[in-house]
PDB file of all heavy atoms in Angstrom:
ATOM      1  N   ARG E 457      98.555 -30.266-125.238  1.00 97.00           N
ATOM      2  CA  ARG E 457      97.694 -30.176-126.468  1.00 97.00           C
ATOM      3  C   ARG E 457      98.383 -30.759-127.738  1.00 97.00           C
ATOM      4  O   ARG E 457      97.626 -31.438-128.523  1.00 97.00           O
ATOM      5  CB  ARG E 457      97.402 -28.697-126.708  1.00 97.00           C
ATOM      6  CG  ARG E 457      96.266 -28.121-125.798  1.00 97.00           C
ATOM      7  CD  ARG E 457      95.945 -26.733-125.961  1.00 97.00           C
ATOM      8  NE  ARG E 457      94.929 -26.251-125.227  1.00 97.00           N
ATOM      9  CZ  ARG E 457      94.598 -24.919-125.063  1.00 97.00           C
ATOM     10  NH1 ARG E 457      95.189 -23.981-125.707  1.00 97.00           N
ATOM     11  NH2 ARG E 457      93.551 -24.593-124.367  1.00 97.00           N
ATOM     12  N   ASP E 458      99.663 -30.650-127.750  1.00 96.00           N
ATOM     13  CA  ASP E 458     100.397 -31.282-128.844  1.00 96.00           C
ATOM     14  C   ASP E 458     100.361 -32.803-128.743  1.00 96.00           C
ATOM     15  O   ASP E 458     100.203 -33.480-129.812  1.00 96.00           O
ATOM     16  CB  ASP E 458     101.873 -30.749-128.889  1.00 96.00           C
ATOM     17  CG  ASP E 458     102.027 -29.335-129.319  1.00 96.00           C
ATOM     18  OD1 ASP E 458     101.158 -28.844-129.931  1.00 96.00           O
ATOM     19  OD2 ASP E 458     103.080 -28.822-129.000  1.00 96.00           O
ATOM     20  N   ILE E 459     100.421 -33.327-127.589  1.00 96.00           N
ATOM     21  CA  ILE E 459     100.319 -34.810-127.378  1.00 96.00           C
ATOM     22  C   ILE E 459      98.884 -35.207-127.748  1.00 96.00           C
ATOM     23  O   ILE E 459      98.764 -36.315-128.417  1.00 96.00           O
ATOM     24  CB  ILE E 459     100.683 -35.178-125.952  1.00 96.00           C
ATOM     25  CG1 ILE E 459     102.178 -34.734-125.648  1.00 96.00           C
ATOM     26  CG2 ILE E 459     100.360 -36.557-125.705  1.00 96.00           C
ATOM     27  CD1 ILE E 459     102.517 -35.002-124.152  1.00 96.00           C
ATOM     28  N   LEU E 460      97.891 -34.437-127.410  1.00 96.00           N
ATOM     29  CA  LEU E 460      96.501 -34.792-127.670  1.00 96.00           C
ATOM     30  C   LEU E 460      96.219 -34.801-129.183  1.00 96.00           C
ATOM     31  O   LEU E 460      95.346 -35.591-129.652  1.00 96.00           O
ATOM     32  CB  LEU E 460      95.582 -33.852-127.011  1.00 96.00           C
ATOM     33  CG  LEU E 460      95.403 -33.999-125.463  1.00 96.00           C
ATOM     34  CD1 LEU E 460      94.605 -32.813-124.876  1.00 96.00           C
ATOM     35  CD2 LEU E 460      94.747 -35.311-125.054  1.00 96.00           C
ATOM     36  N   LYS E 461      96.951 -34.047-129.902  1.00 95.00           N
ATOM     37  CA  LYS E 461      96.778 -34.022-131.403  1.00 95.00           C
ATOM     38  C   LYS E 461      97.024 -35.313-132.086  1.00 95.00           C
ATOM     39  O   LYS E 461      96.503 -35.672-133.158  1.00 95.00           O
ATOM     40  CB  LYS E 461      97.655 -32.967-132.017  1.00 95.00           C
ATOM     41  CG  LYS E 461      97.231 -31.558-131.784  1.00 95.00           C
ATOM     42  CD  LYS E 461      98.183 -30.476-132.335  1.00 95.00           C
ATOM     43  CE  LYS E 461      97.702 -29.120-131.959  1.00 95.00           C
ATOM     44  NZ  LYS E 461      98.770 -28.080-132.449  1.00 95.00           N
ATOM     45  N   GLN E 462      97.818 -36.244-131.341  1.00 92.00           N
ATOM     46  CA  GLN E 462      98.146 -37.505-131.959  1.00 92.00           C
ATOM     47  C   GLN E 462      97.138 -38.505-131.554  1.00 92.00           C
ATOM     48  O   GLN E 462      97.285 -39.691-131.825  1.00 92.00           O
ATOM     49  CB  GLN E 462      99.517 -37.989-131.325  1.00 92.00           C
ATOM     50  CG  GLN E 462     100.636 -36.930-131.557  1.00 92.00           C
ATOM     51  CD  GLN E 462     100.867 -36.502-132.895  1.00 92.00           C
ATOM     52  OE1 GLN E 462     100.835 -37.322-133.861  1.00 92.00           O
ATOM     53  NE2 GLN E 462     100.953 -35.182-133.149  1.00 92.00           N
ATOM     54  N   SER E 463      96.011 -38.174-130.903  1.00 92.00           N
ATOM     55  CA  SER E 463      94.967 -39.102-130.471  1.00 92.00           C
ATOM     56  C   SER E 463      93.653 -38.556-130.812  1.00 92.00           C
ATOM     57  O   SER E 463      93.528 -37.491-131.344  1.00 92.00           O
ATOM     58  CB  SER E 463      95.089 -39.320-128.953  1.00 92.00           C
ATOM     59  OG  SER E 463      94.604 -38.223-128.254  1.00 92.00           O
ATOM     60  N   SER E 464      92.625 -39.379-130.568  1.00 92.00           N
ATOM     61  CA  SER E 464      91.272 -38.957-130.949  1.00 92.00           C
ATOM     62  C   SER E 464      90.530 -38.339-129.829  1.00 92.00           C
ATOM     63  O   SER E 464      89.421 -37.935-129.848  1.00 92.00           O
ATOM     64  CB  SER E 464      90.414 -40.200-131.355  1.00 92.00           C
ATOM     65  OG  SER E 464      90.435 -41.172-130.366  1.00 92.00           O
ATOM     66  N   TYR E 465      91.231 -38.198-128.553  1.00 93.00           N
ATOM     67  CA  TYR E 465      90.635 -37.634-127.420  1.00 93.00           C
ATOM     68  C   TYR E 465      90.948 -36.177-127.426  1.00 93.00           C
ATOM     69  O   TYR E 465      91.940 -35.681-127.614  1.00 93.00           O
ATOM     70  CB  TYR E 465      91.227 -38.375-126.167  1.00 93.00           C
ATOM     71  CG  TYR E 465      91.009 -39.828-126.132  1.00 93.00           C
ATOM     72  CD1 TYR E 465      92.014 -40.653-126.494  1.00 93.00           C
ATOM     73  CD2 TYR E 465      89.719 -40.328-125.820  1.00 93.00           C
ATOM     74  CE1 TYR E 465      91.758 -42.072-126.536  1.00 93.00           C
ATOM     75  CE2 TYR E 465      89.513 -41.746-125.779  1.00 93.00           C
ATOM     76  CZ  TYR E 465      90.561 -42.613-126.170  1.00 93.00           C
ATOM     77  OH  TYR E 465      90.322 -43.869-126.175  1.00 93.00           O
ATOM     78  N   ARG E 466      89.796 -35.463-127.004  1.00 92.00           N
ATOM     79  CA  ARG E 466      89.892 -33.947-126.868  1.00 92.00           C
ATOM     80  C   ARG E 466      89.339 -33.497-125.574  1.00 92.00           C
ATOM     81  O   ARG E 466      88.396 -32.676-125.484  1.00 92.00           O
ATOM     82  CB  ARG E 466      89.148 -33.351-128.058  1.00 92.00           C
ATOM     83  CG  ARG E 466      89.784 -33.552-129.427  1.00 92.00           C
ATOM     84  CD  ARG E 466      91.136 -32.905-129.605  1.00 92.00           C
ATOM     85  NE  ARG E 466      91.754 -33.126-130.840  1.00 92.00           N
ATOM     86  CZ  ARG E 466      92.499 -34.202-131.171  1.00 92.00           C
ATOM     87  NH1 ARG E 466      92.830 -35.148-130.204  1.00 92.00           N
ATOM     88  NH2 ARG E 466      93.067 -34.344-132.386  1.00 92.00           N
ATOM     89  N   PRO E 467      89.900 -33.911-124.411  1.00 94.00           N
ATOM     90  CA  PRO E 467      89.363 -33.435-123.168  1.00 94.00           C
ATOM     91  C   PRO E 467      89.833 -31.964-123.015  1.00 94.00           C
ATOM     92  O   PRO E 467      90.796 -31.436-123.648  1.00 94.00           O
ATOM     93  CB  PRO E 467      90.059 -34.231-122.109  1.00 94.00           C
ATOM     94  CG  PRO E 467      91.357 -34.719-122.793  1.00 94.00           C
ATOM     95  CD  PRO E 467      91.049 -34.903-124.185  1.00 94.00           C
ATOM     96  N   LYS E 468      89.083 -31.272-122.141  1.00 95.00           N
ATOM     97  CA  LYS E 468      89.466 -29.889-121.785  1.00 95.00           C
ATOM     98  C   LYS E 468      90.797 -29.855-121.062  1.00 95.00           C
ATOM     99  O   LYS E 468      90.983 -30.714-120.190  1.00 95.00           O
ATOM    100  CB  LYS E 468      88.372 -29.189-121.000  1.00 95.00           C
ATOM    101  CG  LYS E 468      88.699 -27.776-120.549  1.00 95.00           C
ATOM    102  CD  LYS E 468      87.571 -27.215-119.671  1.00 95.00           C
ATOM    103  CE  LYS E 468      87.921 -25.794-119.263  1.00 95.00           C
ATOM    104  NZ  LYS E 468      86.865 -25.184-118.351  1.00 95.00           N
ATOM    105  N   VAL E 469      91.684 -28.860-121.445  1.00 97.00           N
ATOM    106  CA  VAL E 469      93.062 -28.841-120.633  1.00 97.00           C
ATOM    107  C   VAL E 469      92.927 -27.507-119.931  1.00 97.00           C
ATOM    108  O   VAL E 469      92.806 -26.390-120.492  1.00 97.00           O
ATOM    109  CB  VAL E 469      94.122 -28.829-121.701  1.00 97.00           C
ATOM    110  CG1 VAL E 469      95.459 -28.696-120.829  1.00 97.00           C
ATOM    111  CG2 VAL E 469      94.147 -30.039-122.499  1.00 97.00           C
ATOM    112  N   ALA E 470      92.979 -27.594-118.586  1.00 97.00           N
ATOM    113  CA  ALA E 470      92.779 -26.373-117.712  1.00 97.00           C
ATOM    114  C   ALA E 470      94.051 -26.105-116.989  1.00 97.00           C
ATOM    115  O   ALA E 470      94.679 -27.028-116.447  1.00 97.00           O
ATOM    116  CB  ALA E 470      91.657 -26.667-116.705  1.00 97.00           C
ATOM    117  N   VAL E 471      94.487 -24.858-117.052  1.00 97.00           N
ATOM    118  CA  VAL E 471      95.608 -24.480-116.228  1.00 97.00           C
ATOM    119  C   VAL E 471      95.145 -23.950-114.889  1.00 97.00           C
ATOM    120  O   VAL E 471      94.312 -23.023-114.767  1.00 97.00           O
ATOM    121  CB  VAL E 471      96.374 -23.265-116.967  1.00 97.00           C
ATOM    122  CG1 VAL E 471      97.506 -22.682-116.090  1.00 97.00           C
ATOM    123  CG2 VAL E 471      96.863 -23.687-118.342  1.00 97.00           C
ATOM    124  N   TYR E 472      95.569 -24.639-113.793  1.00 97.00           N
ATOM    125  CA  TYR E 472      95.201 -24.270-112.482  1.00 97.00           C
ATOM    126  C   TYR E 472      96.377 -24.429-111.486  1.00 97.00           C
ATOM    127  O   TYR E 472      96.520 -25.500-110.906  1.00 97.00           O
ATOM    128  CB  TYR E 472      93.990 -25.120-112.057  1.00 97.00           C
ATOM    129  CG  TYR E 472      93.273 -24.560-110.832  1.00 97.00           C
ATOM    130  CD1 TYR E 472      92.605 -23.343-110.898  1.00 97.00           C
ATOM    131  CD2 TYR E 472      93.350 -25.137-109.637  1.00 97.00           C
ATOM    132  CE1 TYR E 472      92.049 -22.754-109.794  1.00 97.00           C
ATOM    133  CE2 TYR E 472      92.704 -24.563-108.512  1.00 97.00           C
ATOM    134  CZ  TYR E 472      92.057 -23.343-108.561  1.00 97.00           C
ATOM    135  OH  TYR E 472      91.418 -22.730-107.504  1.00 97.00           O
ATOM    136  N   PRO E 473      97.210 -23.383-111.392  1.00 96.00           N
ATOM    137  CA  PRO E 473      98.362 -23.501-110.567  1.00 96.00           C
ATOM    138  C   PRO E 473      98.264 -24.015-109.144  1.00 96.00           C
ATOM    139  O   PRO E 473      99.040 -24.733-108.638  1.00 96.00           O
ATOM    140  CB  PRO E 473      98.982 -22.110-110.601  1.00 96.00           C
ATOM    141  CG  PRO E 473      98.484 -21.513-111.878  1.00 96.00           C
ATOM    142  CD  PRO E 473      97.031 -22.123-112.038  1.00 96.00           C
ATOM    143  N   PRO E 474      97.098 -23.620-108.431  1.00 96.00           N
ATOM    144  CA  PRO E 474      96.977 -24.121-107.010  1.00 96.00           C
ATOM    145  C   PRO E 474      97.008 -25.554-106.838  1.00 96.00           C
ATOM    146  O   PRO E 474      97.391 -26.069-105.816  1.00 96.00           O
ATOM    147  CB  PRO E 474      95.675 -23.499-106.568  1.00 96.00           C
ATOM    148  CG  PRO E 474      95.408 -22.338-107.376  1.00 96.00           C
ATOM    149  CD  PRO E 474      95.988 -22.644-108.715  1.00 96.00           C
ATOM    150  N   TRP E 475      96.605 -26.318-107.843  1.00 97.00           N
ATOM    151  CA  TRP E 475      96.698 -27.768-107.770  1.00 97.00           C
ATOM    152  C   TRP E 475      98.103 -28.291-107.646  1.00 97.00           C
ATOM    153  O   TRP E 475      98.375 -29.457-107.377  1.00 97.00           O
ATOM    154  CB  TRP E 475      95.938 -28.476-108.908  1.00 97.00           C
ATOM    155  CG  TRP E 475      94.402 -28.331-108.833  1.00 97.00           C
ATOM    156  CD1 TRP E 475      93.702 -27.787-107.835  1.00 97.00           C
ATOM    157  CD2 TRP E 475      93.447 -28.849-109.794  1.00 97.00           C
ATOM    158  NE1 TRP E 475      92.365 -27.996-108.065  1.00 97.00           N
ATOM    159  CE2 TRP E 475      92.179 -28.592-109.216  1.00 97.00           C
ATOM    160  CE3 TRP E 475      93.558 -29.552-111.037  1.00 97.00           C
ATOM    161  CZ2 TRP E 475      91.035 -28.933-109.909  1.00 97.00           C
ATOM    162  CZ3 TRP E 475      92.448 -29.857-111.633  1.00 97.00           C
ATOM    163  CH2 TRP E 475      91.204 -29.555-111.149  1.00 97.00           C
ATOM    164  N   PHE E 476      98.995 -27.519-108.046  1.00 97.00           N
ATOM    165  CA  PHE E 476     100.452 -27.882-108.182  1.00 97.00           C
ATOM    166  C   PHE E 476     101.357 -27.194-107.256  1.00 97.00           C
ATOM    167  O   PHE E 476     102.552 -27.460-107.280  1.00 97.00           O
ATOM    168  CB  PHE E 476     100.865 -27.731-109.599  1.00 97.00           C
ATOM    169  CG  PHE E 476     100.137 -28.355-110.710  1.00 97.00           C
ATOM    170  CD1 PHE E 476      98.970 -28.009-111.142  1.00 97.00           C
ATOM    171  CD2 PHE E 476     100.567 -29.642-111.125  1.00 97.00           C
ATOM    172  CE1 PHE E 476      98.138 -28.618-112.034  1.00 97.00           C
ATOM    173  CE2 PHE E 476      99.846 -30.362-112.070  1.00 97.00           C
ATOM    174  CZ  PHE E 476      98.608 -29.868-112.494  1.00 97.00           C
ATOM    175  N   GLN E 477     100.828 -26.507-106.310  1.00 94.00           N
ATOM    176  CA  GLN E 477     101.609 -25.930-105.326  1.00 94.00           C
ATOM    177  C   GLN E 477     101.511 -26.637-103.937  1.00 94.00           C
ATOM    178  O   GLN E 477     100.422 -27.130-103.679  1.00 94.00           O
ATOM    179  CB  GLN E 477     101.146 -24.453-105.059  1.00 94.00           C
ATOM    180  CG  GLN E 477     101.263 -23.546-106.315  1.00 94.00           C
ATOM    181  CD  GLN E 477     100.507 -22.205-106.291  1.00 94.00           C
ATOM    182  OE1 GLN E 477      99.939 -21.997-105.168  1.00 94.00           O
ATOM    183  NE2 GLN E 477     100.600 -21.402-107.266  1.00 94.00           N
ATOM    184  N   PRO E 478     102.553 -26.581-103.121  1.00 90.00           N
ATOM    185  CA  PRO E 478     102.551 -27.273-101.817  1.00 90.00           C
ATOM    186  C   PRO E 478     101.380 -26.714-100.953  1.00 90.00           C
ATOM    187  O   PRO E 478     100.975 -25.537-101.126  1.00 90.00           O
ATOM    188  CB  PRO E 478     103.803 -27.047-101.225  1.00 90.00           C
ATOM    189  CG  PRO E 478     104.743 -26.723-102.371  1.00 90.00           C
ATOM    190  CD  PRO E 478     103.949 -26.068-103.446  1.00 90.00           C
ATOM    191  N   THR E 479     100.833 -27.538-100.142  1.00 83.00           N
ATOM    192  CA  THR E 479      99.758 -27.107 -99.314  1.00 83.00           C
ATOM    193  C   THR E 479      99.969 -25.865 -98.625  1.00 83.00           C
ATOM    194  O   THR E 479      98.926 -25.062 -98.540  1.00 83.00           O
ATOM    195  CB  THR E 479      99.320 -28.281 -98.302  1.00 83.00           C
ATOM    196  OG1 THR E 479      98.960 -29.459 -99.053  1.00 83.00           O
ATOM    197  CG2 THR E 479      98.249 -27.861 -97.456  1.00 83.00           C
ATOM    198  N   GLU E 480     100.988 -25.656 -98.071  1.00 76.00           N
ATOM    199  CA  GLU E 480     101.211 -24.464 -97.200  1.00 76.00           C
ATOM    200  C   GLU E 480     101.195 -23.180 -98.008  1.00 76.00           C
ATOM    201  O   GLU E 480     101.046 -22.054 -97.507  1.00 76.00           O
ATOM    202  CB  GLU E 480     102.645 -24.526 -96.490  1.00 76.00           C
ATOM    203  CG  GLU E 480     103.839 -24.621 -97.383  1.00 76.00           C
ATOM    204  CD  GLU E 480     104.250 -26.016 -97.637  1.00 76.00           C
ATOM    205  OE1 GLU E 480     103.469 -26.880 -97.461  1.00 76.00           O
ATOM    206  OE2 GLU E 480     105.380 -26.187 -98.090  1.00 76.00           O
TER     207      GLU E 480
END
Side-chain angles (χ1 to χ4, degrees):
R457 284 178 174 173
D458 286 341
I459 297 173
L460 287 171
K461 290 178 182 178
Q462 309 303 316
S463 75
S464 60
Y465 300 101
R466 295 292 183 270
K468 178 181 178 182
V469 183
V471 176
Y472 195 66
W475 286 358
F476 297 84
Q477 297 169 1
T479 296
E480 61 268 18

